[in-house]
Amino acid sequence: MTEKERTQSDRNEVSRETAERQTAPPPSPPPPRGPRVTLIVVVAIVAIAAYWIGDVWGDRIIGAFSGGAESDHAHTTDDADGASYYTCGMHPWVILPRPGTCPICQMDLTPLDPSKFTGEISIDPRVVQNIGVRVEEVVRGPLVKTIRTVGSVDYDERRVRDVNIKVRGWIENLHVDYLGAEVSEGEALFDLYSPELYDTQQQYLLAYRNRDQKDVRFLPGAGDPKRLLESSRIRLEYYDITPEQIAELEKRGEPKKTLTIVSKHKGVVTSKHANEGMLVEPGMLVFRIADLSKVWVMVTLYEYQLP
């Protein structure tokens, strides 16, 4: 074959290969890689789970199938330590049945005292010594706490009484003449002279003498004798004249210049505004009497003492 013929033959071969390439179907795309990646992830998860199960429960499973030489050794170790459960100091809610590391912070687990599960309270002897714990049997009774503080004794305000004047007059004689004097109910405080009180005595005696008369036109404020007598008696009582003094007035039959004002209360004189010969007006405070059978103690408490 000549050189020209070989050249023509090569050109024909190239043209045929080009035609075959153009008429051939397109190549298939490469297979997707998703299933292969998913398979790798699943295998990794299974491996991690198998490792954890083997680490936590492997000894128990082996001991159960082997009849228990290693299991007996593990129980002997737990019994010797006095603990069958372990916990984490940073995460006390983590409780595992064997020693190891905390699954949260990877710290070593510490033995858990079995008494924690019995409901009993136990304190380390060193702590007892340091804080001075004292143990006593529980008894039923009042709960009392002693508090040392500063206070003062004061009068019970519900037992304080005032002696006031209800009529204008003068103190002729003073029977209780100093602070702190003890008085009893019905005891004389002072003798009072009052023109108004003297006139009231006269009116009462006039009504008392004519209490059985039918014609009382000559009496001041003529009316029913019994009503006049009753009104005069009430007026004397309103002036703090006692029934015993009124009975004495009826027996004496004539008014008295001074009448004695007596105490209606029992106690100690805590305030005195009266002297002999002194002019007193209605509403004036003459004595203040406090009953000391019960007193108040006013103390200072701080916030930390309130419980």
Side-chain angles (χ1 to χ4, degrees):
M1 182 178 294
T2 63
E3 184 68 24
K4 185 178 181 179
E5 290 177 350
R6 282 198 301 272
T7 304
Q8 185 64 33
S9 177
D10 292 339
R11 290 178 179 178
N12 293 337
E13 185 69 25
V14 172
S15 299
R16 187 174 56 253
E17 290 178 357
T18 302
E20 289 178 357
R21 190 180 301 114
Q22 291 177 353
T23 58
S28 301
R33 297 185 179 182
R36 183 179 298 174
V37 175
T38 303
L39 181 61
I40 294 174
V41 174
V42 171
V43 170
I45 293 175
V46 171
I48 294 173
Y51 174 79
W52 184 82
I53 293 175
D55 184 49
V56 176
W57 299 97
D59 291 346
R60 291 196 173 190
I61 296 173
I62 294 173
F65 283 99
S66 64
E70 295 182 359
S71 177
D72 293 342
H73 176 69
H75 285 297
T76 303
T77 303
D78 290 344
D79 293 341
D81 295 341
S84 58
Y85 292 93
Y86 297 82
T87 185
C88 175
M90 296 295 294
H91 306 90
W93 59 86
V94 175
I95 299 177
L96 297 178
R98 63 187 300 276
T101 59
C102 176
I104 299 176
C105 63
Q106 304 304 319
M107 290 181 61
D108 292 336
L109 300 179
T110 58
L112 191 62
D113 190 354
S115 63
K116 300 291 185 180
F117 301 96
T118 63
E120 298 180 356
I121 299 176
S122 60
I123 305 177
D124 186 89
R126 290 173 296 181
V127 178
V128 172
Q129 181 67 25
N130 292 336
I131 67 178
V133 175
R134 298 294 180 266
V135 180
E136 186 72 21
E137 293 185 1
V138 178
V139 296
R140 185 181 297 273
L143 183 62
V144 179
K145 179 179 178 60
T146 301
I147 298 177
R148 296 185 179 275
T149 183
V150 178
S152 60
V153 180
D154 201 355
Y155 305 112
D156 185 348
E157 295 180 1
R158 301 168 298 179
R159 298 173 179 271
V160 176
R161 300 291 184 269
D162 291 342
V163 178
N164 296 319
I165 292 296
K166 299 177 181 179
V167 62
R168 189 173 187 271
W170 288 262
I171 296 177
E172 293 285 337
N173 187 23
L174 192 62
H175 299 284
V176 178
D177 54 359
Y178 65 94
L179 286 175
E182 295 185 6
V183 296
S184 57
E185 186 176 355
E187 182 176 348
L189 297 176
F190 56 89
D191 296 336
L192 179 67
Y193 164 69
S194 171
E196 186 175 356
L197 191 57
Y198 189 85
D199 292 341
T200 304
Q201 293 182 77
Q202 287 184 325
Q203 292 178 7
Y204 179 79
L205 289 175
L206 186 59
Y208 179 76
R209 296 190 190 100
N210 296 276
R211 61 186 181 279
D212 296 328
Q213 299 292 331
K214 294 182 180 181
D215 186 6
V216 291
R217 288 176 295 177
F218 59 91
L219 292 176
D224 187 355
K226 293 183 179 180
R227 293 184 61 183
L228 288 174
L229 180 64
E230 184 65 22
S231 63
S232 299
R233 183 182 184 91
I234 293 175
R235 190 176 181 185
L236 287 173
E237 291 177 351
Y238 284 172
Y239 289 154
D240 292 335
I241 304 303
T242 63
E244 292 78 12
Q245 291 175 311
I246 295 176
E248 183 182 354
L249 176 62
E250 295 173 354
K251 183 178 180 180
R252 189 172 57 250
E254 59 181 12
K256 190 177 180 182
K257 176 184 177 182
T258 60
L259 288 178
T260 302
I261 304 299
V262 300
S263 174
K264 295 183 178 181
H265 315 288
K266 175 184 177 181
V268 175
V269 176
T270 62
S271 180
K272 169 181 169 292
H273 303 282
N275 295 299
E276 290 187 359
M278 180 179 179
L279 172 65
V280 292
E281 299 288 348
M284 177 180 174
L285 174 63
V286 181
F287 291 103
R288 175 165 292 171
I289 300 173
D291 185 0
L292 300 183
S293 59
K294 289 185 179 181
V295 295
W296 284 353
V297 178
M298 313 300 290
V299 300
T300 300
L301 292 180
Y302 298 96
E303 184 177 357
Y304 74 92
Q305 296 173 319
L306 292 180

